[in-house]
Amino acid sequence: MKIALVHDHLNQIGGAEKVLFCFNKIFPQAPIYTLIYDQKRLNDFFKDLNIQTSFIQNLPWAFSKFKWYLPLMPSAIEQLNLNNYDVVLSDASAFAKGVITKPGSIHVCYCHTPTRYLWTDTHNYIEEVTKNKVIKKVLPLILNQLRSWDQSAAQRVDYFIANSNFVAQRIKKYYHKDSHVIYPPVEVEKFKIQPKQDKYFLIVSRLRPYKKVDLAIKAFNRLRMPLKIIGVGEEEAKLKKIAKDNIEFLGGVSDKVKAQYMARAQALIHPQEEDFGITAVESMAAGRPVIAYKAGGAMETVKAGETGVFFNEPTWESLTEAVIRFNPQDFSSRVIQEHAQQFSRERFEKEIKDFIHRAWQDKLI
């Protein structure tokens, strides 16, 4: 059984890339196919692996202006030649699901979400991506074509694995396909309980519009409680302008430092709707509760009253009320940490390996 891995694009390190890293651990001989690979940006994360890229890799400004080539991405992913493989395992939140596989092979797609900017976030994406009036008029036409391709490409997948029940519902709605849920891997072993906590609350997030960090800043501006923010992104300057002096931006930090901040926080603030939400699980692995917006993957990972609390509306007022009601003495760090263990990397690797094995055996029958 010859296996190939397919990933959207290797130009950042996030949850999807950590899933791909686990796929490589399970299937170390499998090459990785992707649209582009920015080795300098990823440092040693995928060093010395067999990575095959599309023609976009060699186009001008492929790394710095990757979004310019959005209309070419369907063609680029379809040109990746996977005829030598019996099983293709794609790791997709966008284009990887669209690879063309040979007859007789099976394509298993681990889907983080149906492509956000084509389905759930289209209107926000158009507003956020550019201020240019001409591009704003042309972009909806491009997205319309990509949406048709995306829906068609999804029909090529033999088996969908969703990273949460929330995403499984989206796959059913937009792609009309059933899926099996396997929660993504979380390195829970890297997080330890601290006997004492400091007075601050914590956000760990990329500073992008859909992460709703601005909502938390507005809430803590009024609460005047200490809030620390770990992360970088295109909204950093904007967010710093609106934050008062009780809010501290720590930038990007190492995993070790992040774990220390999590373990000493009163709670993690999770203001956005996530497909799964690895950061919330990491906080729980450190024994700290989560104050989360009641939507998306958080509803599957956070147990209200036991490992955290929810706020119902995506507004700073609703979050403010939840923080005021929050009492850290209501929670047991040990209970919270034990809950997080069910999302371990070992569990993920076993479930993926078992799923691929069953799919291949079914093909042989």
Side-chain angles (χ1 to χ4, degrees):
M1 180 175 66
K2 293 188 65 177
I3 297 179
L5 306 177
V6 184
H7 188 75
D8 292 324
H9 41 81
L10 287 172
N11 58 359
Q12 64 179 7
I13 299 175
E17 287 69 38
K18 291 180 179 178
V19 166
L20 180 65
F21 189 80
C22 282
F23 286 167
N24 174 254
K25 292 294 184 184
I26 302 169
F27 308 110
Q29 302 305 314
I32 298 171
Y33 289 80
T34 188
L35 289 172
I36 64 166
Y37 172 40
D38 189 345
Q39 188 172 2
K40 288 184 179 179
R41 196 166 183 180
L42 270 66
N43 297 317
D44 294 335
F45 201 72
F46 291 100
K47 186 179 179 181
D48 298 328
L49 299 186
N50 181 3
I51 297 176
Q52 305 293 320
T53 58
S54 75
F55 66 79
I56 293 178
Q57 177 84 7
N58 299 315
L59 295 178
W61 307 292
F63 299 158
S64 60
K65 303 295 183 182
F66 179 61
K67 290 181 180 179
W68 284 7
Y69 297 110
L70 194 62
L72 299 181
M73 291 179 192
S75 176
I77 208 75
E78 289 178 346
Q79 288 186 40
L80 296 177
N81 188 346
L82 299 167
N83 284 339
N84 292 328
Y85 303 100
D86 304 305
V87 176
V88 172
L89 175 57
S90 62
D91 177 40
S93 58
F95 294 94
K97 76 177 81 67
V99 290
I100 297 174
T101 57
K102 70 178 182 180
S105 67
I106 60 171
H107 178 184
V108 179
C109 175
Y110 188 87
C111 184
H112 298 274
T113 179
T115 312
R116 280 181 172 272
Y117 55 83
L118 298 181
W119 301 103
T120 55
D121 294 351
T122 297
H123 300 294
N124 289 338
Y125 178 77
I126 293 170
E127 289 300 315
E128 293 166 359
V129 75
T130 183
K131 301 296 183 183
N132 187 295
K133 292 182 179 180
V134 175
I135 295 177
K136 278 193 174 183
K137 288 183 178 180
V138 174
L139 188 57
L141 302 177
I142 296 173
L143 296 182
N144 181 264
Q145 293 178 337
L146 290 175
R147 192 176 300 112
S148 296
W149 176 88
D150 189 65
Q151 211 283 331
S152 176
Q155 307 315 305
R156 304 172 193 168
V157 175
D158 297 298
Y159 300 94
F160 269 106
I161 301 174
N163 74 348
S164 66
N165 288 295
F166 177 62
V167 167
Q169 294 170 5
R170 285 181 172 177
I171 292 170
K172 187 67 173 179
K173 177 176 178 63
Y174 298 122
Y175 298 153
H176 312 298
K177 303 271 281 188
D178 293 326
S179 55
H180 178 79
V181 175
I182 297 178
Y183 292 122
V186 183
E187 295 177 305
V188 294
E189 71 281 358
K190 291 186 175 181
F191 298 85
K192 308 298 180 185
I193 292 174
Q194 292 291 332
K196 292 184 179 180
Q197 282 70 49
D198 295 331
K199 293 183 178 181
Y200 66 84
F201 292 79
L202 182 68
I203 285 181
V204 180
S205 173
R206 281 177 283 180
L207 305 183
R208 303 186 64 184
Y210 82 91
K211 294 293 187 177
K212 304 298 182 184
V213 177
D214 62 325
L215 184 152
I217 288 175
K218 291 173 184 176
F220 277 82
N221 278 345
R222 288 156 179 82
L223 289 164
R224 301 301 292 171
M225 293 178 175
L227 175 68
K228 296 183 185 294
I229 300 174
I230 292 175
V232 296
E234 65 264 32
E235 285 219 312
E236 184 171 352
K238 173 185 172 183
L239 294 173
K240 284 182 175 179
K241 283 183 179 180
I242 66 172
K244 293 185 177 179
D245 57 8
N246 57 303
I247 299 172
E248 182 182 3
F249 290 80
L250 301 173
V253 301
S254 68
D255 287 346
K256 182 179 180 180
V257 172
K258 178 182 72 174
Q260 292 170 350
Y261 274 110
M262 281 185 163
R264 297 199 307 269
Q266 292 290 302
L268 180 82
I269 305 298
H270 186 80
Q272 73 278 21
E273 178 184 278
E274 288 282 8
D275 304 316
F276 174 73
I278 286 177
T279 303
V281 178
E282 290 177 336
S283 177
M284 291 186 284
R288 302 315 303 148
V290 180
I291 301 175
Y293 173 46
K294 194 175 183 179
M299 296 182 66
E300 300 175 49
T301 60
V302 179
K303 295 185 71 174
E306 186 172 315
T307 70
V309 298
F310 290 113
F311 61 98
N312 295 323
E313 302 294 332
T315 64
W316 67 264
E317 294 92 343
S318 185
L319 172 57
T320 299
E321 184 180 347
V323 175
I324 291 171
R325 293 198 319 266
F326 173 76
N327 181 1
Q329 304 305 318
D330 293 339
F331 300 91
S332 163
S333 292
R334 188 62 58 191
V335 169
I336 294 172
Q337 187 183 60
E338 288 175 358
H339 172 75
Q341 300 308 304
Q342 65 184 294
F343 302 104
S344 71
R345 183 178 58 186
E346 290 78 12
R347 177 272 321 165
F348 173 80
E349 292 178 357
K350 181 181 184 303
E351 290 185 17
I352 289 294
K353 189 183 296 184
D354 289 348
F355 187 94
I356 296 295
H357 178 74
R358 289 196 305 272
W360 182 244
Q361 291 301 313
D362 289 345
K363 184 71 176 178
L364 295 178
I365 293 175

